Amino acid sequence: MNELQKALKVNALFSSISGIIMILFNHQIAYLFGITNNTVFWVVGLILIYFAITIWYEIRKQRRTAVLWIIIQDYTWVAGSLVLIIINPFQITQIGNIIIGLIALIVLYMGINQKIGLKKSTVNNL
């Protein structure tokens, strides 16, 4: 398994676990965030599971364009998280903002590692 595959695997695992947690514990997460509507958490959970499935697929295929798209989505998640924290349009609690920030840091780390793995990759189909 090359560095790119390892980086993608970490992302796929993290996204899968995060999605499952958001679906199973959406009420508790909504409470932590100080939000009464928990729908957003199970919807994002489903999206994360779908995202993880696409990553698992690319662990085998390693197509340059698809991997770049995964990296772009990770960076977009980080940017969106920063907007949520700075503007706080939904009046999220301090603990909610800390959770968002920590997850954004993890996603940024994964995006950077995937980019490094992509640059080092010597697979012909990239």
Side-chain angles (χ1 to χ4, degrees):
M1 185 175 285
N2 64 36
E3 284 186 49
L4 177 58
Q5 289 172 313
K6 290 177 186 175
L8 288 169
K9 187 174 183 179
V10 169
N11 194 348
L13 285 169
F14 185 76
S15 297
S16 298
I17 292 167
S18 296
I20 291 167
I21 287 171
M22 290 183 87
I23 292 167
L24 294 177
F25 301 104
N26 60 76
H27 291 285
Q28 295 87 340
I29 297 168
Y31 177 77
L32 279 176
F33 278 55
I35 297 172
T36 56
N37 186 352
N38 63 318
T39 304
V40 68
F41 298 105
W42 61 263
V43 169
V44 172
L46 289 172
I47 292 168
L48 282 170
I49 290 172
Y50 176 77
F51 179 64
I53 291 167
T54 65
I55 297 170
W56 286 114
Y57 182 76
E58 288 309 321
I59 290 171
R60 291 185 190 180
K61 294 289 184 180
Q62 298 185 68
R63 298 172 299 174
R64 178 175 292 283
T65 303
V67 172
L68 281 171
W69 179 236
I70 290 167
I71 294 167
I72 289 168
Q73 290 175 84
D74 285 337
Y75 291 158
T76 302
W77 179 281
V78 173
S81 297
L82 288 174
V83 169
L84 279 176
I85 292 169
I86 293 168
I87 298 175
N88 199 7
F90 305 108
Q91 303 306 308
I92 296 170
T93 62
Q94 185 175 9
I95 188 72
N97 281 322
I98 290 169
I99 292 168
I100 291 170
L102 290 173
I103 291 172
L105 287 173
I106 293 167
V107 172
L108 178 61
Y109 175 76
M110 290 186 299
I112 291 168
N113 279 335
Q114 290 164 158
K115 186 69 175 166
I116 291 168
L118 184 60
K119 284 183 180 182
K120 290 181 178 180
S121 184
T122 58
V123 177
N124 291 333
N125 66 343
L126 285 177

